[in-house]
Amino acid sequence: HHTPPRTRIQTAQALVPELPATLNHEAGPIPGHLDALYTFAWTQLLQGSVQRDSNKVRSALEVIEPLQQAWQQACLAVAA
């Protein structure tokens, strides 16, 4: 079944703000960089939704999708 784009955007808007809580800021500079990326992505999702601007939503996706793929690869590597 196909989820409407608006619903997917709303789901992402609910999930992305939760990601910074998973970061250990004592682990060096990377968590701070990830926090900034998450904040940027969330802001773009919110603005894209309110302004109905698909370019802003696409900008958020361009940030989040590579991170999701990297986590997926890391999990597969650990499981192997």
Side-chain angles (χ1 to χ4, degrees):
H1 105 72
H2 180 71
T3 306
R6 188 114 180 112
T7 302
R8 290 184 302 203
I9 291 169
Q10 289 170 338
T11 300
Q13 286 175 330
L15 293 175
V16 171
E18 299 298 324
L19 295 173
T22 67
L23 300 173
N24 176 1
H25 288 278
E26 296 176 8
I30 292 175
H33 297 303
L34 287 171
D35 195 9
L37 289 173
Y38 297 155
T39 299
F40 171 80
W42 183 77
T43 302
Q44 292 296 101
L45 284 169
L46 186 61
Q47 289 178 355
S49 179
V50 169
Q51 299 168 4
R52 298 191 183 274
D53 185 343
S54 62
N55 289 324
K56 289 187 179 196
V57 174
R58 195 171 300 111
S59 292
L61 182 60
E62 288 171 358
V63 168
I64 296 298
E65 193 170 59
L67 294 172
Q68 185 266 340
Q69 291 170 354
W71 273 110
Q72 196 170 40
Q73 289 175 356
C75 290
L76 290 173
V78 169

